[in-house]
Amino acid sequence: MVRRIIEIDQEKCNGCGACAAACHEGAIGMVDGKATLLRDDYCDGLGDCLPTCPTGAIRFVEREAAAYDEAAVLAKKAEALKGSAPRQVPPSGGCPGSMAQALRTADAASAAPAAVSDGAVSHLAQWPVQIKLVPVEAPWFNGARLLIAADCTAYARLDFHQRFMRNHITLIGCPKLDEGDYAEKLTEILRRNDIRELTIVRMDVPCCGGIQRAAETALRQSGKFIPWQVVTLGRDGNILE
């Protein structure tokens, strides 16, 4: 079958290993000091590895490739877990912004959010937050109340953290400026994790329709019934609907 799959430019690869660490499916390995796609059927085509590469050696191509085999990936993960420690992202090399990290649990974020110098508080529960950077699977997704928000919404409303991010896992994006469609990755996030509910926050501008459509498409394609709502903000921060 012809499908989207990664391609690694061996000339550009500096051997840092960040992409191999970021690949949750184990499709990438280090061979002779260079990142290599080990098996086509382990690559899901979602590209969690792309933003970790510091040299831009990874890109998507459309070519003949074996279909993604989720069962084989899960079997490999189960085998790897026997008597082995979890794989860690290298402390150096790659993009630090793509390293998945739980900042606080939802309960902790509610009870004791991180304070900053002016007395305001943060309710951000995890990192990263950008849809393009966030991993498809992470412990903090399970049982989560998920917030998918357009970039500009947090700047339009002063109490955005308290009103929308509190007790939520937050994903942000801008469908006008970011390349590609979020729908495929969001579908996999909803499909692979136990998401309890979904809130979409967008601005009252046409380009924000893209993030709403992507989330709605993901909800349909996930095959799950997940309670959801859309909140639209005016440019003055007022809630319109």
Side-chain angles (χ1 to χ4, degrees):
M1 65 181 295
V2 176
R3 69 180 183 93
R4 187 172 72 163
I5 195 167
I6 65 159
E7 180 178 80
I8 304 173
D9 187 331
Q10 297 292 296
E11 294 298 319
K12 291 183 179 179
C13 177
N14 67 0
C16 71
C19 61
C23 180
H24 302 283
E25 289 71 35
I28 301 174
M30 304 304 294
V31 178
D32 296 328
K34 297 283 187 175
T36 303
L37 178 60
L38 302 177
R39 286 182 52 163
D40 287 359
D41 60 343
Y42 281 5
C43 178
D44 60 9
L46 295 176
D48 285 347
C49 55
L50 268 70
T52 70
C53 180
T55 64
I58 308 175
R59 66 183 183 120
F60 279 127
V61 295
E62 295 276 345
R63 66 167 174 84
E64 187 74 29
Y68 172 60
D69 189 343
E70 185 176 13
V73 169
L74 292 175
K76 179 185 176 184
K77 287 181 179 180
E79 185 65 28
L81 285 174
K82 294 179 181 178
S84 64
R87 182 174 55 181
Q88 300 295 322
V89 175
S92 61
C95 174
S98 67
M99 294 181 183
Q101 179 183 8
L103 303 181
R104 58 189 67 86
T105 65
D107 289 341
S110 174
V116 292
S117 58
D118 63 358
V121 295
S122 171
H123 288 280
L124 183 61
Q126 94 294 336
W127 187 266
V129 295
Q130 225 288 340
I131 296 172
K132 295 291 185 181
L133 296 181
V134 75
V136 173
E137 293 177 280
W140 25 263
F141 274 134
N142 290 314
R145 301 167 66 193
L146 187 62
L147 169 67
I148 299 176
D151 288 354
C152 298
T153 54
Y155 295 95
R157 190 172 180 92
L158 181 62
D159 65 347
F160 192 83
H161 273 248
Q162 177 68 20
R163 185 169 189 118
F164 297 109
M165 291 173 59
R166 185 170 180 258
N167 293 330
H168 285 74
I169 292 298
T170 303
L171 304 183
I172 64 169
C174 177
K176 185 172 183 178
L177 300 180
D178 292 344
E179 293 183 4
D181 182 12
Y182 301 129
E184 185 176 0
K185 187 166 190 179
L186 292 176
T187 297
E188 290 304 310
I189 289 173
L190 297 182
R191 182 179 292 156
R192 298 190 195 187
N193 300 281
D194 177 25
I195 304 297
R196 190 169 57 177
E197 63 179 63
L198 172 63
T199 298
I200 304 158
V201 182
R202 54 164 293 183
M203 299 296 297
D204 184 31
V205 293
C207 55
C208 263
I211 202 164
Q212 180 177 343
R213 286 191 297 272
E216 291 174 349
T217 298
L219 282 162
R220 290 194 301 271
Q221 294 180 346
S222 71
K224 295 181 177 181
F225 175 76
I226 300 174
W228 64 286
Q229 63 173 328
V230 178
V231 179
T232 303
L233 301 182
R235 275 162 271 191
D236 58 359
N238 287 326
I239 295 176
L240 302 181
E241 57 180 86

Short mmCIF file of all heavy atoms in Angstrom, two decimals, residues 15-79:
data_model
loop_
_atom_site.label_atom_id
_atom_site.label_comp_id
_atom_site.label_asym_id
_atom_site.label_seq_id
_atom_site.Cartn_x
_atom_site.Cartn_y
_atom_site.Cartn_z
N GLY A 15 23.36 11.70 14.64
CA GLY A 15 23.51 10.59 15.56
C GLY A 15 23.14 10.87 17.00
O GLY A 15 23.54 10.12 17.90
N CYS A 16 22.35 11.91 17.26
CA CYS A 16 22.03 12.27 18.65
C CYS A 16 21.11 11.25 19.32
O CYS A 16 21.07 11.13 20.54
CB CYS A 16 21.42 13.66 18.72
SG CYS A 16 19.74 13.78 18.05
N GLY A 17 20.29 10.54 18.54
CA GLY A 17 19.40 9.53 19.10
C GLY A 17 18.09 10.04 19.64
O GLY A 17 17.29 9.27 20.16
N ALA A 18 17.83 11.35 19.52
CA ALA A 18 16.60 11.91 20.08
C ALA A 18 15.36 11.34 19.40
O ALA A 18 14.34 11.10 20.04
CB ALA A 18 16.62 13.42 19.96
N CYS A 19 15.42 11.12 18.09
CA CYS A 19 14.27 10.60 17.36
C CYS A 19 13.96 9.17 17.78
O CYS A 19 12.78 8.79 17.93
CB CYS A 19 14.49 10.69 15.86
SG CYS A 19 15.91 9.75 15.26
N ALA A 20 15.00 8.36 17.99
CA ALA A 20 14.80 6.98 18.42
C ALA A 20 14.14 6.94 19.79
O ALA A 20 13.28 6.10 20.06
CB ALA A 20 16.14 6.24 18.44
N ALA A 21 14.53 7.85 20.67
CA ALA A 21 13.93 7.92 22.00
C ALA A 21 12.49 8.40 21.95
O ALA A 21 11.66 8.00 22.77
CB ALA A 21 14.76 8.83 22.89
N ALA A 22 12.19 9.27 20.98
CA ALA A 22 10.84 9.84 20.89
C ALA A 22 9.86 8.91 20.19
O ALA A 22 8.65 9.10 20.31
CB ALA A 22 10.90 11.18 20.16
N CYS A 23 10.36 7.93 19.44
CA CYS A 23 9.49 7.02 18.69
C CYS A 23 8.89 5.99 19.64
O CYS A 23 9.56 5.06 20.07
CB CYS A 23 10.27 6.34 17.57
SG CYS A 23 9.26 5.19 16.61
N HIS A 24 7.62 6.15 19.97
CA HIS A 24 6.95 5.27 20.93
C HIS A 24 6.75 3.86 20.37
O HIS A 24 6.52 2.92 21.12
CB HIS A 24 5.60 5.86 21.33
CG HIS A 24 5.69 7.22 21.91
ND1 HIS A 24 6.10 7.45 23.20
CD2 HIS A 24 5.47 8.45 21.37
CE1 HIS A 24 6.11 8.76 23.45
NE2 HIS A 24 5.73 9.37 22.36
N GLU A 25 6.81 3.72 19.05
CA GLU A 25 6.57 2.43 18.42
C GLU A 25 7.84 1.62 18.21
O GLU A 25 7.78 0.46 17.80
CB GLU A 25 5.86 2.63 17.06
CG GLU A 25 4.41 3.09 17.18
CD GLU A 25 4.29 4.53 17.67
OE1 GLU A 25 5.16 5.35 17.31
OE2 GLU A 25 3.33 4.82 18.40
N GLY A 26 9.01 2.24 18.43
CA GLY A 26 10.27 1.52 18.23
C GLY A 26 10.63 1.32 16.78
O GLY A 26 11.39 0.42 16.43
N ALA A 27 10.08 2.19 15.91
CA ALA A 27 10.36 2.06 14.47
C ALA A 27 11.76 2.55 14.12
O ALA A 27 12.31 2.17 13.09
CB ALA A 27 9.32 2.83 13.66
N ILE A 28 12.34 3.43 14.95
CA ILE A 28 13.65 4.01 14.67
C ILE A 28 14.69 3.44 15.61
O ILE A 28 14.45 3.32 16.82
CB ILE A 28 13.61 5.55 14.81
CG1 ILE A 28 12.57 6.16 13.87
CG2 ILE A 28 14.98 6.16 14.54
CD1 ILE A 28 12.37 7.65 14.05
N GLY A 29 15.83 3.10 15.07
CA GLY A 29 16.95 2.62 15.88
C GLY A 29 18.24 3.23 15.38
O GLY A 29 18.28 3.86 14.32
N MET A 30 19.28 3.11 16.18
CA MET A 30 20.59 3.65 15.81
C MET A 30 21.43 2.53 15.19
O MET A 30 21.68 1.51 15.82
CB MET A 30 21.29 4.24 17.03
CG MET A 30 20.49 5.31 17.75
SD MET A 30 19.98 6.69 16.67
CE MET A 30 21.60 7.40 16.29
N VAL A 31 21.85 2.73 13.96
CA VAL A 31 22.66 1.76 13.23
C VAL A 31 23.93 2.45 12.75
O VAL A 31 23.85 3.43 11.99
CB VAL A 31 21.89 1.16 12.04
CG1 VAL A 31 22.79 0.18 11.27
CG2 VAL A 31 20.62 0.46 12.51
N ASP A 32 25.08 1.98 13.22
CA ASP A 32 26.37 2.59 12.86
C ASP A 32 26.38 4.09 13.16
O ASP A 32 26.89 4.90 12.38
CB ASP A 32 26.70 2.35 11.38
CG ASP A 32 26.88 0.87 11.05
OD1 ASP A 32 27.36 0.14 11.95
OD2 ASP A 32 26.54 0.46 9.93
N GLY A 33 25.77 4.47 14.29
CA GLY A 33 25.78 5.86 14.71
C GLY A 33 24.80 6.77 14.02
O GLY A 33 24.82 7.98 14.21
N LYS A 34 23.90 6.19 13.22
CA LYS A 34 22.90 6.99 12.50
C LYS A 34 21.50 6.47 12.78
O LYS A 34 21.29 5.25 12.93
CB LYS A 34 23.16 6.94 10.99
CG LYS A 34 24.50 7.53 10.55
CD LYS A 34 24.45 9.06 10.55
CE LYS A 34 25.71 9.64 9.95
NZ LYS A 34 25.65 11.11 9.84
N ALA A 35 20.52 7.37 12.81
CA ALA A 35 19.13 6.97 12.99
C ALA A 35 18.65 6.26 11.73
O ALA A 35 18.89 6.73 10.61
CB ALA A 35 18.26 8.19 13.28
N THR A 36 17.95 5.15 11.92
CA THR A 36 17.50 4.34 10.79
C THR A 36 16.07 3.86 11.04
O THR A 36 15.74 3.46 12.16
CB THR A 36 18.42 3.11 10.60
OG1 THR A 36 19.76 3.56 10.42
CG2 THR A 36 17.99 2.29 9.40
N LEU A 37 15.24 3.90 10.01
CA LEU A 37 13.90 3.32 10.11
C LEU A 37 14.05 1.80 10.03
O LEU A 37 14.41 1.25 8.99
CB LEU A 37 13.00 3.82 8.98
CG LEU A 37 11.58 3.27 8.93
CD1 LEU A 37 10.82 3.60 10.21
CD2 LEU A 37 10.83 3.81 7.71
N LEU A 38 13.79 1.12 11.14
CA LEU A 38 14.04 -0.31 11.23
C LEU A 38 12.98 -1.15 10.53
O LEU A 38 13.29 -2.13 9.86
CB LEU A 38 14.14 -0.73 12.70
CG LEU A 38 15.22 -0.02 13.53
CD1 LEU A 38 15.14 -0.48 14.98
CD2 LEU A 38 16.61 -0.30 12.97
N ARG A 39 11.71 -0.75 10.72
CA ARG A 39 10.61 -1.51 10.12
C ARG A 39 9.50 -0.56 9.71
O ARG A 39 9.04 0.25 10.51
CB ARG A 39 10.06 -2.54 11.11
CG ARG A 39 10.95 -3.74 11.31
CD ARG A 39 10.36 -4.75 12.27
NE ARG A 39 9.00 -5.16 11.94
CZ ARG A 39 8.42 -6.26 12.43
NH1 ARG A 39 9.11 -7.06 13.25
NH2 ARG A 39 7.18 -6.58 12.10
N ASP A 40 9.05 -0.70 8.47
CA ASP A 40 7.96 0.15 7.99
C ASP A 40 6.69 -0.07 8.80
O ASP A 40 5.96 0.88 9.09
CB ASP A 40 7.66 -0.16 6.52
CG ASP A 40 8.72 0.37 5.57
OD1 ASP A 40 9.69 1.00 6.05
OD2 ASP A 40 8.59 0.15 4.35
N ASP A 41 6.41 -1.33 9.17
CA ASP A 41 5.14 -1.61 9.85
C ASP A 41 5.11 -1.16 11.30
O ASP A 41 4.09 -1.26 11.97
CB ASP A 41 4.79 -3.10 9.75
CG ASP A 41 5.83 -4.00 10.37
OD1 ASP A 41 6.97 -3.55 10.59
OD2 ASP A 41 5.52 -5.18 10.65
N TYR A 42 6.25 -0.67 11.83
CA TYR A 42 6.26 -0.07 13.16
C TYR A 42 6.01 1.44 13.12
O TYR A 42 5.79 2.05 14.16
CB TYR A 42 7.61 -0.32 13.84
CG TYR A 42 7.79 -1.70 14.44
CD1 TYR A 42 6.82 -2.69 14.27
CD2 TYR A 42 8.91 -2.01 15.18
CE1 TYR A 42 6.99 -3.96 14.81
CE2 TYR A 42 9.09 -3.27 15.73
CZ TYR A 42 8.13 -4.25 15.54
OH TYR A 42 8.30 -5.49 16.09
N CYS A 43 6.08 2.04 11.96
CA CYS A 43 5.91 3.50 11.83
C CYS A 43 4.44 3.82 11.61
O CYS A 43 3.85 3.42 10.60
CB CYS A 43 6.76 4.04 10.67
SG CYS A 43 6.57 5.81 10.40
N ASP A 44 3.84 4.59 12.54
CA ASP A 44 2.42 4.92 12.42
C ASP A 44 2.17 6.14 11.55
O ASP A 44 1.02 6.50 11.28
CB ASP A 44 1.78 5.10 13.79
CG ASP A 44 2.41 6.22 14.61
OD1 ASP A 44 3.24 6.97 14.06
OD2 ASP A 44 2.08 6.34 15.81
N GLY A 45 3.23 6.82 11.11
CA GLY A 45 3.07 7.96 10.22
C GLY A 45 2.59 9.23 10.88
O GLY A 45 2.21 10.18 10.20
N LEU A 46 2.61 9.28 12.23
CA LEU A 46 2.14 10.48 12.93
C LEU A 46 3.27 11.48 13.19
O LEU A 46 3.02 12.65 13.44
CB LEU A 46 1.47 10.09 14.25
CG LEU A 46 0.18 9.27 14.09
CD1 LEU A 46 -0.35 8.85 15.44
CD2 LEU A 46 -0.87 10.05 13.32
N GLY A 47 4.50 11.02 13.19
CA GLY A 47 5.63 11.94 13.22
C GLY A 47 6.01 12.53 14.56
O GLY A 47 6.49 13.67 14.61
N ASP A 48 5.85 11.79 15.67
CA ASP A 48 6.33 12.30 16.95
C ASP A 48 7.83 12.55 16.92
O ASP A 48 8.36 13.35 17.70
CB ASP A 48 6.01 11.31 18.07
CG ASP A 48 4.54 11.31 18.46
OD1 ASP A 48 3.83 12.23 18.03
OD2 ASP A 48 4.11 10.40 19.16
N CYS A 49 8.53 11.85 16.03
CA CYS A 49 9.98 11.98 15.95
C CYS A 49 10.43 13.27 15.27
O CYS A 49 11.53 13.77 15.54
CB CYS A 49 10.57 10.78 15.18
SG CYS A 49 9.85 10.56 13.53
N LEU A 50 9.60 13.84 14.40
CA LEU A 50 10.03 14.99 13.59
C LEU A 50 10.50 16.18 14.41
O LEU A 50 11.59 16.71 14.17
CB LEU A 50 8.93 15.42 12.63
CG LEU A 50 8.97 14.77 11.23
CD1 LEU A 50 8.60 13.29 11.32
CD2 LEU A 50 8.01 15.48 10.28
N PRO A 51 9.71 16.64 15.40
CA PRO A 51 10.14 17.85 16.12
C PRO A 51 11.35 17.64 17.03
O PRO A 51 11.94 18.62 17.49
CB PRO A 51 8.90 18.22 16.95
CG PRO A 51 8.15 16.95 17.10
CD PRO A 51 8.37 16.20 15.83
N THR A 52 11.74 16.39 17.29
CA THR A 52 12.89 16.16 18.16
C THR A 52 14.21 16.27 17.41
O THR A 52 15.26 16.39 18.03
CB THR A 52 12.82 14.77 18.81
OG1 THR A 52 13.05 13.76 17.83
CG2 THR A 52 11.48 14.54 19.48
N CYS A 53 14.17 16.21 16.09
CA CYS A 53 15.41 16.18 15.30
C CYS A 53 16.01 17.59 15.19
O CYS A 53 15.38 18.48 14.62
CB CYS A 53 15.14 15.62 13.90
SG CYS A 53 16.63 15.54 12.88
N PRO A 54 17.21 17.79 15.70
CA PRO A 54 17.81 19.13 15.68
C PRO A 54 18.37 19.54 14.33
O PRO A 54 18.68 20.71 14.11
CB PRO A 54 18.93 19.02 16.73
CG PRO A 54 19.35 17.58 16.66
CD PRO A 54 18.08 16.81 16.39
N THR A 55 18.51 18.59 13.39
CA THR A 55 19.12 18.91 12.09
C THR A 55 18.14 18.86 10.93
O THR A 55 18.52 19.09 9.79
CB THR A 55 20.27 17.92 11.79
OG1 THR A 55 19.74 16.59 11.67
CG2 THR A 55 21.32 17.96 12.90
N GLY A 56 16.87 18.54 11.21
CA GLY A 56 15.88 18.47 10.14
C GLY A 56 16.10 17.29 9.21
O GLY A 56 15.77 17.37 8.02
N ALA A 57 16.62 16.18 9.76
CA ALA A 57 16.94 15.04 8.91
C ALA A 57 15.74 14.15 8.61
O ALA A 57 15.83 13.25 7.77
CB ALA A 57 18.03 14.20 9.59
N ILE A 58 14.61 14.38 9.29
CA ILE A 58 13.44 13.52 9.12
C ILE A 58 12.33 14.28 8.41
O ILE A 58 12.07 15.45 8.71
CB ILE A 58 12.93 13.01 10.48
CG1 ILE A 58 14.07 12.38 11.28
CG2 ILE A 58 11.80 12.00 10.29
CD1 ILE A 58 13.67 11.96 12.68
N ARG A 59 11.69 13.62 7.48
CA ARG A 59 10.56 14.21 6.77
C ARG A 59 9.55 13.12 6.43
O ARG A 59 9.86 11.93 6.54
CB ARG A 59 11.01 14.91 5.50
CG ARG A 59 11.58 13.97 4.44
CD ARG A 59 12.07 14.72 3.22
NE ARG A 59 12.53 13.82 2.18
CZ ARG A 59 12.02 13.75 0.95
NH1 ARG A 59 11.03 14.56 0.61
NH2 ARG A 59 12.49 12.90 0.06
N PHE A 60 8.36 13.52 6.04
CA PHE A 60 7.36 12.59 5.58
C PHE A 60 7.48 12.39 4.07
O PHE A 60 7.76 13.34 3.33
CB PHE A 60 5.94 13.11 5.86
CG PHE A 60 5.48 12.89 7.28
CD1 PHE A 60 5.01 13.95 8.02
CD2 PHE A 60 5.49 11.63 7.85
CE1 PHE A 60 4.57 13.77 9.32
CE2 PHE A 60 5.06 11.44 9.15
CZ PHE A 60 4.59 12.50 9.87
N VAL A 61 7.26 11.16 3.61
CA VAL A 61 7.17 10.87 2.18
C VAL A 61 5.95 9.97 1.97
O VAL A 61 5.46 9.33 2.91
CB VAL A 61 8.44 10.18 1.64
CG1 VAL A 61 9.64 11.10 1.73
CG2 VAL A 61 8.70 8.86 2.34
N GLU A 62 5.46 9.94 0.76
CA GLU A 62 4.40 9.00 0.38
C GLU A 62 5.05 7.93 -0.48
O GLU A 62 5.62 8.22 -1.54
CB GLU A 62 3.30 9.72 -0.41
CG GLU A 62 2.53 10.76 0.38
CD GLU A 62 1.40 10.15 1.19
OE1 GLU A 62 1.05 8.99 0.91
OE2 GLU A 62 0.87 10.84 2.09
N ARG A 63 5.03 6.68 -0.02
CA ARG A 63 5.64 5.59 -0.79
C ARG A 63 4.98 4.26 -0.43
O ARG A 63 4.19 4.17 0.50
CB ARG A 63 7.13 5.52 -0.50
CG ARG A 63 7.54 5.15 0.91
CD ARG A 63 9.02 4.81 0.97
NE ARG A 63 9.52 4.57 2.32
CZ ARG A 63 9.42 3.42 2.96
NH1 ARG A 63 8.79 2.38 2.39
NH2 ARG A 63 9.92 3.28 4.19
N GLU A 64 5.33 3.25 -1.22
CA GLU A 64 4.86 1.90 -0.94
C GLU A 64 5.49 1.43 0.38
O GLU A 64 6.71 1.47 0.55
CB GLU A 64 5.28 0.96 -2.08
CG GLU A 64 4.70 -0.43 -1.98
CD GLU A 64 3.22 -0.49 -2.32
OE1 GLU A 64 2.76 0.34 -3.12
OE2 GLU A 64 2.53 -1.36 -1.75
N ALA A 65 4.65 1.02 1.32
CA ALA A 65 5.14 0.58 2.62
C ALA A 65 4.12 -0.36 3.25
O ALA A 65 2.91 -0.26 2.98
CB ALA A 65 5.38 1.77 3.54
N ALA A 66 4.61 -1.25 4.09
CA ALA A 66 3.70 -2.13 4.83
C ALA A 66 2.81 -1.31 5.75
O ALA A 66 3.22 -0.26 6.25
CB ALA A 66 4.51 -3.14 5.65
N ALA A 67 1.59 -1.77 5.96
CA ALA A 67 0.66 -1.07 6.83
C ALA A 67 1.17 -1.08 8.27
O ALA A 67 1.89 -2.00 8.68
CB ALA A 67 -0.72 -1.73 6.76
N TYR A 68 0.81 -0.05 9.02
CA TYR A 68 1.18 0.01 10.44
C TYR A 68 0.56 -1.16 11.17
O TYR A 68 -0.65 -1.41 11.07
CB TYR A 68 0.71 1.33 11.04
CG TYR A 68 0.86 1.42 12.54
CD1 TYR A 68 2.11 1.31 13.14
CD2 TYR A 68 -0.25 1.63 13.36
CE1 TYR A 68 2.25 1.39 14.51
CE2 TYR A 68 -0.11 1.72 14.74
CZ TYR A 68 1.14 1.59 15.30
OH TYR A 68 1.28 1.67 16.67
N ASP A 69 1.38 -1.91 11.91
CA ASP A 69 0.93 -3.10 12.62
C ASP A 69 0.94 -2.83 14.13
O ASP A 69 1.94 -3.05 14.81
CB ASP A 69 1.85 -4.27 12.28
CG ASP A 69 1.32 -5.61 12.81
OD1 ASP A 69 0.43 -5.60 13.68
OD2 ASP A 69 1.81 -6.66 12.34
N GLU A 70 -0.18 -2.34 14.64
CA GLU A 70 -0.25 -1.98 16.06
C GLU A 70 -0.05 -3.20 16.96
O GLU A 70 0.59 -3.11 18.01
CB GLU A 70 -1.59 -1.32 16.36
CG GLU A 70 -1.69 -0.81 17.79
CD GLU A 70 -2.99 -0.07 18.07
OE1 GLU A 70 -3.92 -0.16 17.25
OE2 GLU A 70 -3.07 0.61 19.11
N ALA A 71 -0.58 -4.34 16.55
CA ALA A 71 -0.44 -5.54 17.37
C ALA A 71 1.03 -5.93 17.53
O ALA A 71 1.47 -6.30 18.63
CB ALA A 71 -1.23 -6.70 16.74
N ALA A 72 1.79 -5.84 16.45
CA ALA A 72 3.22 -6.17 16.52
C ALA A 72 3.97 -5.19 17.41
O ALA A 72 4.86 -5.57 18.17
CB ALA A 72 3.82 -6.17 15.11
N VAL A 73 3.58 -3.91 17.34
CA VAL A 73 4.22 -2.89 18.17
C VAL A 73 3.95 -3.15 19.65
O VAL A 73 4.85 -3.10 20.49
CB VAL A 73 3.74 -1.48 17.77
CG1 VAL A 73 4.19 -0.45 18.79
CG2 VAL A 73 4.24 -1.12 16.39
N LEU A 74 2.69 -3.46 19.97
CA LEU A 74 2.33 -3.72 21.37
C LEU A 74 3.04 -4.97 21.90
O LEU A 74 3.47 -5.00 23.06
CB LEU A 74 0.81 -3.88 21.50
CG LEU A 74 -0.02 -2.61 21.24
CD1 LEU A 74 -1.51 -2.94 21.28
CD2 LEU A 74 0.32 -1.54 22.26
N ALA A 75 3.17 -5.98 21.04
CA ALA A 75 3.87 -7.20 21.47
C ALA A 75 5.34 -6.91 21.74
O ALA A 75 5.92 -7.41 22.71
CB ALA A 75 3.73 -8.27 20.38
N LYS A 76 5.94 -6.06 20.89
CA LYS A 76 7.34 -5.70 21.10
C LYS A 76 7.51 -4.91 22.40
O LYS A 76 8.46 -5.12 23.15
CB LYS A 76 7.85 -4.87 19.92
CG LYS A 76 9.31 -4.44 20.07
CD LYS A 76 9.73 -3.53 18.94
CE LYS A 76 11.16 -3.05 19.16
NZ LYS A 76 11.61 -2.09 18.14
N LYS A 77 6.57 -3.98 22.67
CA LYS A 77 6.65 -3.19 23.90
C LYS A 77 6.54 -4.09 25.12
O LYS A 77 7.27 -3.93 26.11
CB LYS A 77 5.53 -2.15 23.93
CG LYS A 77 5.72 -0.98 22.98
CD LYS A 77 4.57 0.00 23.13
CE LYS A 77 4.74 1.20 22.22
NZ LYS A 77 3.63 2.17 22.35
N ALA A 78 5.62 -5.06 25.07
CA ALA A 78 5.44 -5.96 26.20
C ALA A 78 6.71 -6.77 26.46
O ALA A 78 7.11 -6.99 27.61
CB ALA A 78 4.26 -6.89 25.94
N GLU A 79 7.36 -7.21 25.39
CA GLU A 79 8.59 -7.98 25.53
C GLU A 79 9.71 -7.12 26.10
O GLU A 79 10.49 -7.55 26.94
CB GLU A 79 9.00 -8.52 24.15
CG GLU A 79 10.21 -9.44 24.17
CD GLU A 79 9.98 -10.72 24.94
OE1 GLU A 79 8.81 -11.17 25.02
OE2 GLU A 79 10.96 -11.27 25.48
#
